[in-house]
Amino acid sequence: MKVVNLKQAILQAWKERWSDYQWAINMKKFFPKGATWDILNLAEALLEQAMIGPSPNPLILSYLKYAISSQMVSYSSVLTAISKFDDFSRDLCVQALLDIMDMFCDRLSCHGKAEECIGLCRALLSALHWLLRCTAASAERLQEGLEAGTPAAGEKQLAMCLQRLEKTLSSTKNRALLHIAKLEEASSWTAIEHSLLKLGEILANLSNPQLRSQAEKCGTLIRSIPTMLSVHSEQPHKTGFPTVHALVLLEGTMNLTGETQPLVEQLMMVKRMQHIPTPLFVLEIWKACLVGLIESPEGTEELKWTAFTFLKIPQVLVKLKKYSHGDKDFTEDVNCAFEFLLKLTPLLDKADQRCNCDFTDFLLQECRKQGLLSEASVNNLMAKRAVDREHAPQPKAGENANIQPNPGLILRAEPTVTNILKCSSGLDFLSCPQTMDADHSKSPEGLLGVLGHMLSGKSLDLLLAAAAATGKLKSFARKFINLNEFTTHGSEESTKAAPVRALLFDISFLMLCHVAQTYGSEVIMSESSTGAEVPFFETWIQTCMPEEGKILNPDHPCFRPDSTKVESLVALLNNSSEMKLVQMNWHEACLSISAAILEILNAWENGVLAFESIQKITDNIKGKVCSLAVCAVAWLVAHVRMLGLDEREKSLQMIRQLAGPLYSENTLQFYNERVVIMSSILEHMCADVLQQTATQIKFPSPGMDTMPYWNLLPPKRPIKEVLTDIFAKVLEKGWVDSRSIHIFDTLLHMGGVYWFCNNLIKELLKETRKEHTLRAVELLYSIFCLDMQQVTLVLLGHILPGLLTDSSKWHSLMDPPGTALAKLAVWCALSSYSSHKGQASSRQKKRHREDIEDYFSLFPLDDMQPSKLMRLLSSNEEDASSPTDRSMSSSLSASQLHTVNMRDPLNRVLANLFLLISSILGSRTAGPHTQFVQWFMEECVDCLEQGSRGSILQFMPFTTVSELVKVSAMSSPKVVLAITDLSLPLGRQVAAKAIAAL
């Protein structure tokens, strides 16, 4: 009925020729209260009456224009009404509609409810579809006109259509609204894509280049709408990226056994966050490998770096290739990276000298095998390097001539590891010792020869490094655990078989200890399965072996086995001239030796045994099997820790006796080789105790430093001084080296996560030069990768809230250090959030976990409980939310709608940080802390993969969006789209409301 009345009112106005303002006054008299003009469909009713004839009614159109100008009708209702007109043959009507659109198409806005703003998005989408159809109809008429010889009329209308299209699409705000509409109505967007294709086909034959160019521009703008947020500018002006460099160094130095996928994801995260071009990204990875290899200490570390460079990094690049847009593009980028690398001639010359070979040749061949470079590229690069090598400093004749290059040895060791794992070359029964048959009973001697060869020189370290770099070390170690377990018992064996079994037990035991100390005991441990019997070595290493960060109790039941076995072992060691081998249960001997040593030590201290007897006993312990000496020293180390200064002498003397080799003719095979590896194991075990007791023990050395990164901290200096000093040196140099990484790791271990993070953040906030703060952020991020999860919890849960809520600290958040801290906080948050669902790396598992506070009490689950953080705030939520948002909880965020697990500490910390940010934006007090929040949000927008569900911004309350757009730097449509979760209907409503109000 009301629509009829509305129609009658319009007709009356037309008959009586009311002016536009008269019409408006009378209309308000006819319809004084109640429904709005949009509900009455005023815009549609006016257009319907105006478009009855072949040409539009100018008077009624003037009423519509007045209604638009005086905001009687909303833009969305006008756009919806226009899009319902489909008789494109009536030129004058079409042109009148285009003129109406011209009034407001580049300044759309809506200040109503969220539903009205979404209505504007949908109406704009309908209008865009209408404009495309109108343009296509005009283009078809132009073609017909050209054929008929009357092109002028059609060309004019096509130009008008394209002009309105361009004007509508040139506005970023309009494209943002269309982006939301596309997500709201996928079918309507499909119709637009079809119309765009159809228009392209029609305009392909257009002779007017100006119109065709304009049409192509409009088409590009429409096609850019779905991806309008994923465009990032790369940084071509920068050539060095310390974060990538340090990440690779950290991985090569401390985590060779880690899986490649987490490293790939971490590197890709850095690449995205810092917008690094792919060629420079790959170049930085290679540079880090070269530096790591050149500065690595001789011995095991050098072999680990060689394996990392030649085996692991090519695999990392193969996985990075999958992230790139195409194989061809990535191989070109790798080739480009090598072109850059060849210009670093001094670095390559140094690598050649260190490796005693053509480093580049080995590297290029490995990349070719992995499909990272084409044959032609390899040949071209090798030719260029050959020219440079002619001018390189040559070693003196005969120098290093007999030393085989490590890269060649490592690359040959890798297939050997694979063969061993396939049960070839006489090691068949390593994988299944329980099923030994007649043939297997003959194989121990042959197997002993193979193992003895592995102990000689650096064969074992080569195989272990190759296995670690290719992710096969756990399987490799499992072979030796099975062998060790098989050789523990010796029922009904002959005197000839006993020494072989003893040696197999001893060598496998020593090898496994060496693996645990070099690569971490977690590579030894099997996956926990209920009911399965735990092998002896796993039990021993868990309970009896001293490791960094593990304190053993010498009175633990594991060191107190059956007393009868202990007594018989003491008698055997004291009375026999040498250790018996036949039918010896070696695992029982290893578990009993600790209690036996305690008995012997007590007897010596009480004068029952003389020093000569002690010498005879220690010679018996280490004379046949070195593993007994290792087990004895393991207990002595735990025992010495518990003694006073004046009680330690005899225990330390006994360690000294056990550490030295036995000079005797009557030793078993491969004794010298076994003593070398035993000495290395004992040196690692005793390092802590010897430092604490200021004792020196000379271990037989293979001629190189077996513990290159041990005891790096200067004595008698406060660790805070050491931390600030090493950070200052790293900052000045611009990159982190392997030694610094180990010092940082030691300081993190000693001071704890909060102390470490807090003091480094203080150093960052002292910087006043912009270039220094940016460099500090890149370096700090890579240093924090030592334990990113825990550092992020401390940084976001303790340090940032403390700075933001204490007005006396706000001055420290000024630019440039404040900008730098915001960048660092976002980088840490993104890295931790993207990886915290995965497993902690082996280097992080080693560290003892000690949470600063219970995150459950710090950040309660129920929003009604006052958390410690929120009690710090003086937020005024009444002022922070507009009346239209009152129904929405001030803390409701996308994460709650996605049902994210809020029992996870990181999720809780992020949710509370964003509550704090929301409170700061809504408070009446502005200052550096408000500016910091702006920088933090800007960095979030800059770093995020746009449109990705589940980013850290899902923890931001929806009400924050309306507060953020009040900040001038954040009041852009792209920012609003980036910070809201558009996968949710509520997220789209919030975004539409914020954008429509801009």
Side-chain angles (χ1 to χ4, degrees), residues 379-429:
N379 294 336
N380 176 41
L381 292 164
M382 281 170 65
K384 287 182 180 178
R385 178 61 187 149
V387 173
D388 287 341
R389 284 197 90 214
E390 289 173 10
H391 308 293
Q394 298 297 321
K396 292 172 187 171
E399 190 182 334
N400 297 337
N402 298 323
I403 301 174
Q404 286 188 291
N406 282 337
L409 293 172
I410 280 287
L411 292 170
R412 286 207 298 277
E414 194 270 329
T416 307
V417 171
T418 309
N419 288 338
I420 289 172
L421 293 178
K422 286 179 182 171
C423 301
S424 59
S425 70
L427 288 166
D428 296 10
F429 84 96

Coordinates of all heavy atoms in Angstrom, one line a residue, residues 379-429:
N379 N 78.1 -25.6 -16.7 CA 79.3 -25.5 -17.6 C 79.7 -24.0 -17.7 O 80.9 -23.7 -17.6 CB 79.0 -26.0 -19.0 CG 78.8 -27.5 -18.9 OD1 79.3 -28.2 -18.0 ND2 78.1 -28.1 -19.9
N380 N 78.7 -23.1 -17.9 CA 79.0 -21.7 -18.0 C 79.7 -21.2 -16.7 O 80.7 -20.4 -16.7 CB 77.7 -21.0 -18.3 CG 77.9 -19.5 -18.3 OD1 78.9 -19.0 -18.9 ND2 77.0 -18.7 -17.8
L381 N 79.1 -21.6 -15.5 CA 79.6 -21.1 -14.2 C 81.0 -21.6 -13.9 O 81.8 -20.9 -13.4 CB 78.6 -21.5 -13.1 CG 77.2 -20.7 -13.1 CD1 76.2 -21.5 -12.3 CD2 77.4 -19.3 -12.7
M382 N 81.2 -22.9 -14.3 CA 82.5 -23.6 -14.0 C 83.6 -22.9 -14.9 O 84.7 -22.7 -14.4 CB 82.4 -25.1 -14.3 CG 81.7 -25.8 -13.2 SD 81.4 -27.5 -13.6 CE 83.0 -28.2 -13.8
A383 N 83.2 -22.5 -16.1 CA 84.2 -21.9 -17.0 C 84.6 -20.5 -16.4 O 85.8 -20.2 -16.4 CB 83.6 -21.7 -18.4
K384 N 83.6 -19.8 -15.9 CA 83.9 -18.5 -15.3 C 84.8 -18.6 -14.0 O 85.7 -17.8 -13.8 CB 82.6 -17.8 -14.9 CG 81.8 -17.2 -16.1 CD 80.6 -16.5 -15.6 CE 79.8 -16.0 -16.8 NZ 78.5 -15.3 -16.4
R385 N 84.5 -19.6 -13.2 CA 85.3 -19.9 -12.0 C 86.7 -20.3 -12.3 O 87.7 -19.9 -11.6 CB 84.6 -20.9 -11.1 CG 85.3 -21.2 -9.8 CD 85.5 -20.1 -8.9 NE 86.4 -20.4 -7.7 CZ 87.2 -19.6 -7.1 NH1 87.3 -18.3 -7.5 NH2 87.9 -19.9 -6.1
A386 N 86.8 -21.1 -13.4 CA 88.2 -21.6 -13.8 C 89.1 -20.4 -14.1 O 90.3 -20.4 -13.8 CB 88.0 -22.5 -15.0
V387 N 88.5 -19.4 -14.8 CA 89.3 -18.2 -15.1 C 89.8 -17.5 -13.8 O 91.0 -17.1 -13.7 CB 88.5 -17.2 -16.0 CG1 89.3 -15.9 -16.2 CG2 88.1 -17.9 -17.3
D388 N 88.9 -17.4 -12.8 CA 89.3 -16.7 -11.6 C 90.3 -17.5 -10.8 O 91.2 -17.0 -10.2 CB 88.0 -16.5 -10.7 CG 87.1 -15.4 -11.2 OD1 87.6 -14.6 -12.0 OD2 85.9 -15.4 -10.8
R389 N 90.2 -18.9 -10.9 CA 91.1 -19.8 -10.1 C 92.5 -19.7 -10.6 O 93.5 -20.0 -9.8 CB 90.6 -21.2 -10.1 CG 89.4 -21.5 -9.3 CD 89.2 -23.0 -9.0 NE 89.9 -23.4 -7.8 CZ 90.5 -24.6 -7.7 NH1 90.5 -25.5 -8.7 NH2 91.1 -25.0 -6.6
E390 N 92.7 -19.3 -11.8 CA 94.1 -19.2 -12.4 C 94.9 -18.1 -11.6 O 96.1 -18.2 -11.5 CB 94.0 -18.8 -13.8 CG 93.6 -20.0 -14.7 CD 93.4 -19.6 -16.2 OE1 93.8 -18.5 -16.5 OE2 92.8 -20.4 -16.9
H391 N 94.1 -17.1 -11.1 CA 94.8 -16.0 -10.4 C 94.8 -16.2 -8.9 O 95.3 -15.3 -8.1 CB 94.1 -14.7 -10.7 CG 94.0 -14.4 -12.2 ND1 95.1 -14.2 -13.0 CD2 92.9 -14.4 -13.0 CE1 94.7 -14.0 -14.3 NE2 93.3 -14.1 -14.3
A392 N 94.2 -17.3 -8.4 CA 94.2 -17.6 -6.9 C 95.5 -18.0 -6.4 O 96.3 -18.5 -7.1 CB 93.1 -18.6 -6.7
P393 N 95.8 -17.7 -5.1 CA 97.1 -18.1 -4.5 C 97.2 -19.6 -4.5 O 96.3 -20.3 -4.0 CB 97.0 -17.5 -3.1 CG 95.6 -17.2 -2.9 CD 95.0 -16.9 -4.2
Q394 N 98.3 -20.1 -5.0 CA 98.4 -21.6 -5.1 C 99.2 -22.1 -3.9 O 100.1 -21.5 -3.4 CB 99.2 -22.0 -6.4 CG 98.5 -21.6 -7.7 CD 97.2 -22.3 -7.9 OE1 97.1 -23.4 -7.6 NE2 96.2 -21.5 -8.4
P395 N 98.8 -23.3 -3.3 CA 99.6 -23.9 -2.2 C 100.9 -24.3 -2.7 O 101.2 -24.6 -3.9 CB 98.7 -25.1 -1.8 CG 97.9 -25.4 -3.0 CD 97.7 -24.1 -3.7
K396 N 101.9 -24.4 -1.7 CA 103.2 -24.8 -2.1 C 103.2 -26.3 -2.6 O 102.4 -27.0 -2.2 CB 104.1 -24.7 -0.9 CG 104.4 -23.2 -0.4 CD 105.1 -23.2 0.9 CE 105.2 -21.8 1.4 NZ 105.7 -21.7 2.8
A397 N 104.2 -26.6 -3.4 CA 104.2 -27.9 -4.0 C 104.3 -29.0 -2.9 O 105.1 -28.9 -1.9 CB 105.5 -28.1 -4.9
G398 N 103.5 -30.0 -3.0 CA 103.5 -31.1 -2.0 C 102.6 -30.8 -0.8 O 102.2 -31.7 -0.1
E399 N 102.3 -29.5 -0.5 CA 101.5 -29.2 0.6 C 100.0 -29.6 0.4 O 99.4 -29.4 -0.6 CB 101.5 -27.6 0.8 CG 100.9 -27.2 2.1 CD 100.9 -25.7 2.3 OE1 101.7 -25.0 1.6 OE2 100.0 -25.2 3.0
N400 N 99.5 -30.4 1.4 CA 98.1 -30.9 1.4 C 97.9 -31.9 0.2 O 96.8 -32.2 -0.1 CB 97.1 -29.8 1.3 CG 97.1 -28.9 2.5 OD1 97.6 -29.3 3.6 ND2 96.6 -27.7 2.4
A401 N 99.0 -32.3 -0.5 CA 98.8 -33.1 -1.7 C 98.2 -34.5 -1.4 O 97.4 -35.0 -2.2 CB 100.1 -33.4 -2.4
N402 N 98.5 -35.0 -0.2 CA 98.0 -36.4 0.2 C 96.6 -36.3 0.9 O 96.1 -37.3 1.3 CB 99.0 -37.1 1.0 CG 100.3 -37.3 0.2 OD1 100.2 -37.6 -1.0 ND2 101.4 -37.2 0.9
I403 N 96.2 -35.1 1.3 CA 94.9 -35.0 2.0 C 93.7 -35.0 1.1 O 93.6 -34.1 0.2 CB 94.9 -33.7 2.9 CG1 96.1 -33.6 3.8 CG2 93.6 -33.5 3.6 CD1 96.3 -32.3 4.6
Q404 N 92.9 -36.0 1.3 CA 91.7 -36.0 0.5 C 90.7 -34.9 0.9 O 90.5 -34.7 2.1 CB 91.0 -37.4 0.6 CG 91.7 -38.5 -0.1 CD 90.9 -39.8 -0.1 OE1 90.7 -40.4 0.9 NE2 90.4 -40.2 -1.3
P405 N 90.1 -34.2 -0.1 CA 89.2 -33.1 0.3 C 87.9 -33.7 0.9 O 87.3 -34.7 0.5 CB 88.8 -32.5 -1.1 CG 89.2 -33.5 -2.1 CD 90.3 -34.3 -1.6
N406 N 87.5 -33.0 2.0 CA 86.3 -33.4 2.8 C 85.0 -33.5 1.9 O 84.2 -34.4 2.1 CB 86.1 -32.5 3.9 CG 87.0 -32.8 5.1 OD1 87.5 -33.9 5.2 ND2 87.3 -31.8 5.9
P407 N 84.8 -32.5 1.0 CA 83.5 -32.6 0.2 C 83.4 -33.9 -0.6 O 82.3 -34.5 -0.6 CB 83.6 -31.4 -0.8 CG 84.5 -30.4 0.0 CD 85.5 -31.2 0.7
G408 N 84.5 -34.4 -1.1 CA 84.5 -35.6 -1.9 C 84.2 -36.8 -0.9 O 83.5 -37.7 -1.2
L409 N 84.9 -36.8 0.3 CA 84.7 -37.8 1.3 C 83.2 -37.9 1.7 O 82.6 -39.0 1.9 CB 85.6 -37.6 2.4 CG 87.1 -37.8 2.2 CD1 87.9 -37.3 3.4 CD2 87.5 -39.2 1.8
I410 N 82.7 -36.7 2.0 CA 81.3 -36.7 2.5 C 80.3 -37.2 1.4 O 79.4 -37.9 1.7 CB 80.9 -35.2 2.9 CG1 81.5 -34.9 4.3 CG2 79.4 -35.0 2.9 CD1 80.7 -35.5 5.5
L411 N 80.5 -36.7 0.2 CA 79.6 -37.2 -0.9 C 79.7 -38.7 -1.1 O 78.8 -39.3 -1.6 CB 79.9 -36.4 -2.2 CG 79.6 -34.9 -2.1 CD1 80.1 -34.1 -3.3 CD2 78.0 -34.7 -2.0
R412 N 80.9 -39.3 -0.8 CA 81.0 -40.7 -0.9 C 80.5 -41.4 0.3 O 80.0 -42.6 0.2 CB 82.5 -41.1 -1.1 CG 83.1 -40.8 -2.5 CD 84.2 -41.7 -2.9 NE 85.4 -41.6 -2.0 CZ 86.3 -40.7 -2.1 NH1 86.3 -39.8 -3.0 NH2 87.3 -40.7 -1.2
A413 N 80.5 -40.8 1.4 CA 80.0 -41.4 2.7 C 78.5 -41.5 2.6 O 78.0 -42.5 3.2 CB 80.4 -40.5 3.9
E414 N 77.8 -40.6 1.9 CA 76.3 -40.6 1.9 C 75.8 -41.9 1.4 O 74.9 -42.6 2.0 CB 75.8 -39.4 1.2 CG 74.3 -39.1 1.4 CD 73.5 -39.8 0.4 OE1 73.9 -40.0 -0.8 OE2 72.3 -40.2 0.7
P415 N 76.2 -42.4 0.2 CA 75.7 -43.7 -0.3 C 76.1 -44.9 0.6 O 75.4 -45.8 0.6 CB 76.3 -43.8 -1.7 CG 77.4 -42.8 -1.9 CD 77.1 -41.7 -0.9
T416 N 77.3 -44.7 1.3 CA 77.7 -45.8 2.2 C 76.7 -45.9 3.3 O 76.3 -47.1 3.7 CB 79.1 -45.5 2.8 OG1 80.0 -45.2 1.7 CG2 79.6 -46.7 3.6
V417 N 76.2 -44.8 3.8 CA 75.2 -44.8 4.9 C 73.9 -45.5 4.4 O 73.4 -46.3 5.1 CB 74.9 -43.4 5.3 CG1 73.7 -43.4 6.3 CG2 76.1 -42.8 6.1
T418 N 73.5 -45.1 3.2 CA 72.3 -45.7 2.6 C 72.5 -47.3 2.4 O 71.6 -48.0 2.7 CB 72.1 -45.1 1.2 OG1 72.1 -43.7 1.3 CG2 70.7 -45.6 0.6
N419 N 73.7 -47.7 2.0 CA 73.9 -49.2 1.9 C 73.9 -49.9 3.2 O 73.3 -51.0 3.3 CB 75.3 -49.4 1.2 CG 75.3 -49.0 -0.2 OD1 74.2 -49.0 -0.9 ND2 76.5 -48.7 -0.8
I420 N 74.5 -49.2 4.3 CA 74.4 -49.9 5.6 C 73.0 -50.0 6.1 O 72.6 -51.0 6.6 CB 75.2 -49.0 6.6 CG1 76.7 -49.1 6.3 CG2 75.0 -49.4 8.0 CD1 77.6 -48.2 7.1
L421 N 72.2 -49.0 5.8 CA 70.8 -49.0 6.2 C 70.0 -50.1 5.4 O 68.9 -50.5 5.8 CB 70.1 -47.6 6.1 CG 70.7 -46.6 7.0 CD1 70.0 -45.2 6.8 CD2 70.5 -47.0 8.5
K422 N 70.5 -50.4 4.2 CA 69.8 -51.5 3.4 C 70.3 -52.8 3.8 O 70.0 -53.8 3.1 CB 70.1 -51.2 1.9 CG 69.3 -50.0 1.3 CD 69.6 -49.9 -0.1 CE 68.9 -48.7 -0.7 NZ 69.4 -48.4 -2.1
C423 N 71.1 -53.0 4.9 CA 71.6 -54.3 5.3 C 72.5 -54.9 4.4 O 72.5 -56.1 4.1 CB 70.4 -55.2 5.6 SG 69.3 -54.6 6.8
S424 N 73.4 -54.1 3.7 CA 74.4 -54.7 2.8 C 75.8 -54.8 3.5 O 75.9 -54.4 4.6 CB 74.5 -53.9 1.5 OG 74.8 -52.6 1.8
S425 N 76.7 -55.2 2.8 CA 78.2 -55.3 3.1 C 78.4 -55.9 4.5 O 79.2 -55.4 5.3 CB 78.7 -53.9 3.2 OG 78.2 -53.1 4.2
G426 N 77.8 -57.1 4.7 CA 78.1 -57.8 5.9 C 77.5 -57.3 7.2 O 77.8 -57.8 8.3
L427 N 76.7 -56.3 7.1 CA 76.0 -55.7 8.3 C 74.6 -56.2 8.4 O 73.8 -55.5 9.1 CB 76.1 -54.2 8.3 CG 77.5 -53.6 8.5 CD1 77.5 -52.1 8.1 CD2 77.9 -53.8 10.0
D428 N 74.2 -57.3 7.7 CA 72.8 -57.7 7.6 C 72.2 -57.8 9.0 O 71.1 -57.4 9.2 CB 72.7 -59.0 6.9 CG 73.2 -58.9 5.4 OD1 73.7 -57.8 5.1 OD2 73.0 -59.8 4.7
F429 N 72.9 -58.5 9.9 CA 72.2 -58.8 11.1 C 72.1 -57.7 12.1 O 71.5 -57.8 13.2 CB 72.9 -60.1 11.8 CG 74.1 -59.8 12.6 CD1 73.9 -59.6 14.0 CD2 75.3 -59.6 12.1 CE1 75.0 -59.4 14.8 CE2 76.4 -59.4 12.9 CZ 76.3 -59.3 14.2

